[in-house]
Amino acid sequence: MPEPDSTAARLARSSNPESIPMPEVTDPYLREQLEKRRAELNSAVSAAMPEAPEAPLLEILGEVNSALQRMDDGTYGICPTCNDTVEKERLLADPLVRFCLDHLTSGEQRALERDMELAAKIQRGLLPETNLRFNDWRVHYQYKPAGLVSGDYCDLISPTNVDGKLVFLFGDVAGKGVAAALLMSHLHAMFRSLSGVGLELDGLLERANHVFCESTIAGQYATLICGRAGGAGEVEIASAGHFPALIVGKDGVRKVGSTGVPLGMFAKSRYTIERVLLEPGDSVVLYTDGISEAANTKGEEYGVARIMRVAGERHGWVPQELLAACLKDVNSFSSGARQADDQTMMVIHRTDSAGISLDD
Ligand SMILES: [Zn+2]
């Protein structure tokens, strides 16, 4: 099975904002966006009350004009206080920002904090329930942003009938912070609407990729696993450049690797479905790079092999305990080091009717 370590996949998984191919601050995209907004503002101003245009409209029009002027002067994206570059992610989210995060006015700082808290609240509201049960499936996950908001994505969509399949989605948007969180909510809405259409997984992923390519800007990627858990332990997995899913069985752990490139790279990407059969007691373990690449104080990475070992030694454990054991090991490994990236982990477990479950 193909390993997901293509250059493209690594690039997309990377969480270091410096290595993400973000458009340059003087990118034609931003100019185009600003010019489009100026045209819209101008028509809004003339449509409203040409003789007495509303002050807020004029104010923002002035800001757009001044941003375009700074692009002409070559000072766009440069913080006037420190002459350093303004964070590119913030320019993408709002092309009118002028100051770097370190040099916001106290009013701007408070407004930003309020916005971030609201964004975090909205994002938490998008998460599925943490202890989901569907037929003999039990799912548990942890979602832990490095900052207030996260670029990690996870969702669970239960079928409307008992014969249906449970859809699980798990991914990581390139980058961090607000821009990544916006893309995460975009993925959430897209899969929520597409999953009801009745497509096979490969078709679902292809359609989602197409929409994602059309609606995001160049350089915005997401790695993603899209799976379905059905009757008799059957699990289907399709992966767009994400880390291998780990199947924890009685006889060991095996990887189900990626079957395609990350979402948002090429509109015509194709994906294939891997099918695995889980016995009662088996689990699927999914994780983002915040887990597998968690660093210790010496700068060493945690690694997928260690997740496999820790999870493999705990076959048959209920998902809450399996997950807790894995995270405890990650935390003790990286103890003393800063959590550099969003950490998300999910366990999809087929219950062993003979065993004891926490839920029962
Ligand atoms: Zn500054």
Side-chain angles (χ1 to χ4, degrees), residues 32 111 191 228 281 311:
E32 188 192 313
F191 277 102
R228 280 202 297 215

Side-chain angles (χ1 to χ4, degrees), residues 79-84 99-103:
C79 170
T81 308
C82 65
N83 282 327
D84 219 336
F99 293 88
C100 78
L101 278 180
D102 292 332
H103 298 108

